[in-house]
Structures are given as C-alpha cells and as structure tokens.
Amino acid sequence: QLQLVESGGGLVQPGGSLRLSCAASGFTVGNYAIGWFRQAPGKEPEGVSCITRSGGSTNYADSVSGRFTISRDNAKNTVYLQMNSLKPEDTAVYYCAARSLWCSDLKGTYTYWGQGTQVTVSS
C-alpha cells in the first residue's frame, strides 16, 4: 500500500519547537519532491515548504521562512520539517505530500498524501 504517514505533532508553547516526520511506505520517497501543507480551521490550505528529490533545493512560505527547515533522509525514506520559534498562527493540521519531478505550490498536483498531524501552539 502506497502511503505517507506524518508524526511529531502536538501541543507546544509559543517560541517552542517541534519536528514533524513524513514516512513513506510502498514507494521510494527519493523519487519524489515532498511538500508540507497546513490547514487551519476555517482557512484555505497553505503550502509551507517543499524539497526536491535530491534535497538540493528547498522553498518556504514567507510566513515560515527563517523558522522552519525541511530536510530529507532518503535512506530512511523520510522527510522532516523542523519548526522553531513557533507562533499561535502556526496552529494547523500539517500534511505531507509527494509529487513527481519538481516542487509545486499547486496542492492538486501532488499524488500521495498523509493523513495529517495536528500542531497546536498555545500558552
């Protein structure tokens, strides 16, 4: 079965950190660009970050640039999102998704999706 599974979400205080993991099964994550998206209640999904197949190129939404870092370990078939200096506005369900070839902001062009992990930033 081809799937992505996110983990690492939780409740954290403002200024804290979390590391999300996106583990692939049934396919080789190294053959895909991996994007992280998030959706807060009542809001449209937002692209957060993306990393190319090789890991040689990454991009970030302006709202997280300088605070979040995406990385991948193809040997472990896993992609990570390190989130530092978290803010209440980062509260959302975070999803990872896989896409052939290069990164894209277009959510609909991603082939495989995880079930999401909740991140809540609150004091």
Side-chain angles (χ1 to χ4, degrees):
Q1 184 176 0
L2 307 178
Q3 62 178 352
L4 293 168
V5 178
E6 302 96 336
S7 61
L11 173 64
V12 63
Q13 292 186 342
S17 297
L18 284 173
R19 188 177 80 156
L20 305 184
S21 298
C22 171
S25 62
F27 67 99
T28 301
V29 75
N31 292 333
Y32 294 83
I34 302 295
W36 283 96
F37 294 82
R38 67 186 182 185
Q39 186 167 20
K43 294 189 176 180
E44 291 294 315
E46 173 189 18
V48 174
S49 183
C50 188
I51 187 166
T52 56
R53 289 177 294 175
S54 67
S57 180
T58 59
N59 58 49
Y60 299 92
D62 289 343
S63 57
V64 307
S65 182
R67 300 187 297 122
F68 290 11
T69 303
I70 191 170
S71 62
R72 67 191 305 153
D73 186 338
N74 287 344
K76 294 183 178 180
N77 224 24
T78 301
V79 172
Y80 304 97
L81 185 68
Q82 178 67 44
M83 306 187 297
N84 298 330
S85 302
L86 283 161
K87 304 175 181 180
E89 52 263 44
D90 295 318
T91 296
V93 178
Y94 284 71
Y95 300 88
C96 63
R99 183 181 190 275
S100 298
L101 300 178
W102 49 85
C103 288
S104 171
D105 292 335
L106 299 177
K107 178 173 176 286
T109 64
Y110 285 75
T111 305
Y112 304 117
W113 286 84
Q115 82 290 346
T117 186
Q118 176 71 46
V119 171
T120 303
V121 185
S122 175
S123 55

